Amino acid sequence: MGAVRELVVLGTASQVPTRQRNHNGYLLRWDNEGLLFDPGEGTQRQMLFAGVSATGITRICITHFHGDHCLGLSGIIARLNLDRVPHAVDVCFPASGRVFYERLRDVVPWFPGLRERPVAEPGPIPLAGVPFTLEAVPLSHRIDTFGYRLVEPDGRRMLPDRLAHFGIAGRDVGILQREGALRLADGRTVALAEVSAVRRGQRFAFVMDTRMCSGVEELAQDADMLVIESTFLDDDADLAHEFGHLTAGQAARVAADAGVRTLVLTHFSQRYRDLEGHRVEARKYFDGELVVAEDLMRVPVPTRR
């Protein structure tokens, strides 16, 4: 897929789709990885409209087994098989919903590359060969629900002026990066920390179908991009809490407190034909980059801090 980091929005509706909003579906393109979150009904077709293919999917993450978040899984698995996708695809889902996962999996031809990753406890999910950690955090909905957070490890950025100060160039730079220290011709030893600075790894968080809880705050903390449900507006906060959802205002307050850089609001109730109210409400609390998601939109992950 190439070195690109962006969110491809495939659907933004909640329980009921509208003429403008398909059921959920979010493809995070992260360098050579493609993480598909919550494929609802019609996700396979939305991918055609968005110009993304099944071969780009390397992981699938299901937050919970309500239909608007998982009924498209069967079609995606069928497409992986039809397109003869050559690589394995991890499927992460709440362990308590295994019976629903198996029903969705078994109504289509078997894709031999599926690697099931049921999530029973919070923490890192064991994935092979990924340059990041994928973490699951429990949320507060009407059934078992997990949010997901992608955490890239910190690296180091070489400082040209410091390298020049010590006369380090060429292959010696690579040796220093690999070994953490370099012995110079004059006998001095230079540590990597003396000629580099920390390059903070990026973070992406995905929060769906939950009332306010500590898990929302944990997932949002220091996220470069937070994709979060905002089913209702604050005027309907009691209704949101009753059905296990968030308002645009709640999502924005969490993002502001957590230091989020790009806030993506989505999962809108069909009662709101116009989403300007979500934008206005969120802007009261959040002054970073705000995106009120629309179907087929592409949102770049912000560049490193």
Side-chain angles (χ1 to χ4, degrees):
M1 291 192 301
V4 62
R5 295 185 178 183
E6 67 175 1
L7 178 74
V8 182
V9 180
L10 302 171
T12 58
S14 55
Q15 184 178 18
V16 178
T18 71
R19 292 179 184 272
Q20 292 78 33
R21 300 176 214 144
N22 196 73
H23 273 142
N24 289 282
Y26 310 86
L27 178 66
L28 176 65
R29 301 177 69 210
W30 188 277
D31 300 340
N32 294 315
E33 294 280 338
L35 293 90
L36 178 63
F37 293 88
D38 280 7
E41 260 184 278
T43 293
Q44 186 181 181
R45 189 164 184 259
Q46 292 293 94
M47 287 174 62
L48 292 173
F49 286 131
V52 293
S53 71
T55 57
I57 299 172
T58 57
R59 327 284 164 186
I60 301 172
C61 300
I62 307 293
T63 59
H64 66 294
F65 286 99
H66 279 162
D68 52 323
H69 295 262
C70 67
L71 287 181
L73 178 62
S74 298
I76 295 299
I77 294 173
R79 192 56 184 264
L80 293 171
N81 180 73
L82 181 65
D83 290 356
R84 298 184 179 181
V85 171
H87 54 261
V89 176
D90 293 296
V91 185
C92 309
F93 58 89
S96 62
R98 174 176 280 280
V99 63
F100 303 113
Y101 165 74
E102 291 176 349
R103 289 170 180 171
L104 291 165
R105 179 198 64 191
D106 293 345
V107 296
V108 293
W110 177 258
F111 172 62
L114 284 185
R115 296 187 300 203
E116 296 163 2
R117 301 286 187 250
V119 179
E121 301 290 339
I125 300 170
L127 300 175
V130 294
F132 51 74
T133 299
L134 184 64
E135 301 173 346
V137 177
L139 296 171
S140 175
H141 194 42
R142 290 171 287 163
I143 62 173
D144 284 353
T145 301
F146 285 90
Y148 295 96
R149 177 170 60 185
L150 183 156
V151 180
E152 180 183 39
D154 292 341
R156 298 203 70 88
R157 176 172 56 87
M158 304 305 288
L159 303 174
D161 58 332
R162 296 297 295 163
L163 290 170
H165 173 76
F166 288 104
I168 300 172
R171 63 186 295 270
D172 286 342
V173 176
I175 294 172
L176 181 57
Q177 289 176 313
R178 289 192 303 274
E179 300 184 4
L182 179 71
R183 188 174 179 84
L184 303 180
D186 61 8
R188 290 180 299 166
T189 298
V190 178
L192 179 61
E194 295 181 77
V195 294
S196 65
V198 173
R199 184 189 68 181
R200 184 183 179 279
Q202 291 187 299
R203 295 187 174 204
F204 169 89
F206 187 80
V207 176
M208 284 290 139
D209 284 33
T210 180
R211 55 180 65 85
M212 275 304 305
C213 65
S214 61
V216 176
E217 298 169 343
E218 180 180 347
L219 287 161
Q221 190 61 48
D222 297 323
D224 293 281
M225 177 181 285
L226 170 64
V227 179
I228 187 167
E229 69 124 307
S230 50
T231 309
F232 296 100
L233 294 175
D234 279 346
D235 285 346
D236 293 313
D238 290 342
L239 190 64
H241 182 82
E242 178 184 354
F243 287 99
H245 288 292
L246 296 172
T247 70
Q250 288 172 329
R253 288 191 289 271
V254 166
D257 291 343
V260 169
R261 299 175 64 200
T262 297
L263 171 62
V264 181
L265 302 180
T266 187
H267 194 273
F268 307 113
S269 169
Q270 74 274 14
R271 68 176 57 206
Y272 306 108
R273 294 187 179 182
D274 181 354
L275 298 177
E276 185 60 24
H278 287 68
R279 185 184 307 278
V280 170
E281 186 165 286
R283 223 9 129 194
K284 293 178 184 177
Y285 310 102
F286 182 76
D287 60 5
E289 182 180 1
L290 173 64
V291 177
V292 179
E294 298 177 4
D295 286 25
L296 308 184
M297 174 185 282
R298 292 175 181 250
V299 186
V301 176
T303 55
R304 297 183 187 277
R305 295 178 189 267

